[in-house]
Structure formats: structure tokens, C-alpha cells
Amino acid sequence: MPDSDALTAARQQPRTFTRAELIALSSASSVRTALRTGDLVRLLPDAYVAGEHQGSWAARVDAALTWAGRGAMLAGRSALFAHTLLESTPDGVELVVPPDRHLHCPEWLVARQASYPIAPVRVAGLSVAPAALAIAQAYGDLTASEQSHVVFGAVARGVTSTRQLRHALATMPRIRRRRALTSRIEAAERGAESWLEERSLRTVFTSQEFDCFIRQHRIDREGRRYPLDMYDPFTRTAIELDSRSWHGSDEQRVRDIRRDADLAAMGVLTVRLSSRDLTERPHWCRQIVRDVLAARRG
């Protein structure tokens, strides 16, 4: 085979090759030349990538898991990204390895020994910590918005459950911001699916007069299913808590208008409250809902 076959194979995808694999594709001398010129780069012991992929997170993950060996898995922020619960690619790679494994890692790789049992799951062919444990591992290092998104997003999408999150709390001896995570799990158990809904549960619609509302109710109409943030079945009133990120686009606004019209055809009135009003004018939001309920009951 031509000497370029090894470099061609390495460039085709961001994965690692052993030296033996590269030599089998070309020759020992061509591999030495490619390493000298930087066309091939050694990421970890016996883990080589094309120079153009040396900063690739996917290539580094492949190298790290291969080098760390059996029982290693992505953890923390890396695991959350693999579960698609975080949008931004992590700066480095974080692993959990068996207690008897001691690794000297480069600066982009962190390998921690787990003092608690973890059964990894397979995500896109990778060995990854389950979402509930990954959330608990990373929670204290996440931004406020990321903390909200990973908990509520994971539960809403069925990636994990509040029961599994509770099990992670009981399993892990040390969790940064454990109390805050526990509080957020409690909000999810009460039906919150976002930071905005959590806020309404804790600070806006907390008094007994709002106990008539069912949180996260579902209504079906002609094959379409509509989730309702808060629903009073007696007055057939839906309260929607609209965040800018979920309801700010023109496309989403059109969907909201059509949805509200569809529900109105069933006799369900939708009242939308913005995140700004819920944050800055909670008293006004409460009074609006009171007045709407009174009018509907009348």
C-alpha cells in the first residue's frame, strides 16, 4: 500500500490509531516522518491522530477511553455532553476509572477514581456514566442556567427520572451543591419542567388558592397532544409560563397562536405570562390569574 494510506485513514475521521495500526496501513518510516512533520500527533501512549484532529473533542475522548482501559467511562460535564444535555463542547475530557487505576494525565484530561458503584451506559458507541450520576458529578461546576437545563431537560426528555436522581444523591458521598440539587429535584417531582416553572412553584403561585391547578397536564385534540404548564379543569383555564428562549422566535410564536386557537375551540382559555413579569411583577401575575379564574367561575 502507498505510504500515504495511514495519514489518509487518520484524516478521514477524528479517532485514534495505535502505532501498529498505522504501520500496517503504510510503513514504519512513513509513520516516523508523519510524526516528525506533525501530520500525525501522539495524544496519549500508543494513541495517535491526524494533526488536524489533535484538538478534536471526539478524538480526545476516543484516545482517553482507549488508554484508560476497561471500566473507564465519560463522567461529569463530558458525560452530560454525550447525553446531549449540554450544548457547548467541554474544554477537556473527564473520566471515571476503577479505584485501582492510577493515570498521569495531560492537562486536557481528568481521570477520577470512583468510590461508589457505577454501571456505565452506551451512548453513540461510548462508555458513559448514567445521566443521573453525571448530573450529580457535574452539578457544582455548572452555570445556573446549565443546572436548570440538565435537570429539567433530562427528566422531560426521559433521559433520567427523579427517582434515578434521588438514587444518585443516595449513592454519591460527595456532591457539590447537594442541597441546591435536592431542591431542584423536588421541584421536578412537583411537575416543574423549567427554571421558570420552578420559580412559579416556589415564589409565585404558592398559596392554597392556586391548588386548583394541575401542573404539567396533557390535553389531546384530534391527534395532537398539548402540554399545559398549569391547568384548572373546573374553569378550563390554562396558564402558560413563557420564557424568551422557548417562545421568542417567530416560528414558536406562530405555533403558540395556533395551539391557543386549537385549545380555545375546546373551550380552554390560555393565559400566557412572560418570564419578565413572573420575575419582576409576581403580584400582578397572581392577580391576573385570580381575576381570570373569578370571571371563568362566574
Side-chain angles (χ1 to χ4, degrees):
M1 288 186 179
D3 284 352
S4 62
D5 282 0
L7 188 54
T8 299
R11 284 173 171 164
Q12 283 177 342
Q13 52 185 322
R15 57 154 287 210
T16 55
F17 294 80
T18 66
R19 195 180 188 98
E21 288 173 330
L22 293 171
I23 292 173
L25 288 169
S26 54
S27 67
S29 62
S30 64
V31 170
R32 286 195 299 270
T33 299
L35 287 169
R36 187 170 60 252
T37 60
D39 290 323
L40 288 173
V41 174
R42 176 182 178 274
L43 284 182
L44 289 168
D46 206 23
Y48 300 87
V49 298
E52 62 195 64
H53 297 318
Q54 61 184 304
S56 161
W57 189 78
R60 290 181 172 189
V61 164
D62 185 51
L65 288 173
T66 302
W67 179 56
R70 185 177 180 84
M73 69 193 81
L74 293 181
R77 182 179 282 272
S78 293
L80 293 178
F81 184 73
H83 283 292
T84 68
L85 292 171
L86 291 178
E87 295 181 357
S88 299
T89 307
D91 292 331
V93 176
E94 184 176 348
L95 300 181
V96 162
V97 298
D100 61 348
R101 195 141 321 147
H102 302 276
L103 302 174
H104 298 286
C105 301
E107 60 179 12
W108 56 264
L109 175 61
V110 174
R112 296 188 176 93
Q113 297 167 321
S115 60
Y116 47 90
I118 308 179
V121 296
R122 301 295 290 182
V123 178
L126 301 173
S127 181
V128 181
L133 286 171
I135 289 170
Q137 290 164 347
Y139 195 78
D141 297 321
L142 301 176
T143 66
S145 62
E146 287 174 337
Q147 289 172 346
S148 174
H149 180 76
V150 297
V151 174
F152 296 127
V155 173
R157 287 170 43 197
V159 178
T160 190
S161 65
T162 55
R163 182 178 177 214
Q164 290 168 326
L165 287 166
R166 288 283 188 185
H167 181 70
L169 289 175
T171 299
M172 292 179 58
R174 295 179 182 175
I175 298 175
R176 287 187 59 202
R177 304 208 64 195
R178 177 187 291 269
R179 186 172 299 177
L181 176 56
T182 301
S183 179
R184 185 145 277 150
I185 294 170
E186 291 171 353
E189 288 171 335
R190 293 171 61 193
E193 291 188 351
S194 68
W195 170 85
L196 197 56
E197 293 169 30
E198 179 187 20
R199 182 179 179 84
S200 76
L201 280 168
R202 296 189 184 285
T203 63
V204 183
F205 302 110
T206 56
S207 58
Q208 190 174 3
E209 63 185 310
F210 300 112
D211 287 348
C212 60
F213 285 103
I214 303 172
R215 307 280 178 162
Q216 293 305 318
H217 187 57
R218 301 290 191 271
I219 283 185
D220 290 279
R221 172 175 164 79
E222 298 178 354
R224 293 178 293 276
R225 174 163 293 179
Y226 297 118
L228 309 179
D229 293 339
M230 297 168 57
Y231 178 63
D232 175 26
F234 180 75
T235 64
R236 295 181 70 75
T237 303
I239 308 297
E240 291 299 296
L241 313 171
D242 289 357
S243 67
R244 183 177 301 174
S245 59
W246 288 102
H247 299 270
S249 69
D250 291 341
E251 183 180 352
Q252 182 59 54
R253 181 61 181 153
V254 169
R255 284 198 294 265
D256 289 341
I257 290 171
R258 291 173 179 170
R259 164 194 156 118
D260 294 351
D262 215 11
L263 291 172
M266 300 175 63
V268 176
L269 172 69
T270 302
V271 178
R272 293 187 175 274
L273 301 172
S274 70
S275 58
R276 182 172 180 178
D277 285 330
L278 286 162
T279 303
E280 299 178 2
R281 301 200 298 168
H283 298 291
W284 178 85
C285 293
R286 281 192 290 268
Q287 192 57 51
I288 285 292
V289 173
R290 289 189 190 104
D291 291 345
V292 169
L293 291 179
R296 299 281 281 177
R297 288 167 183 157

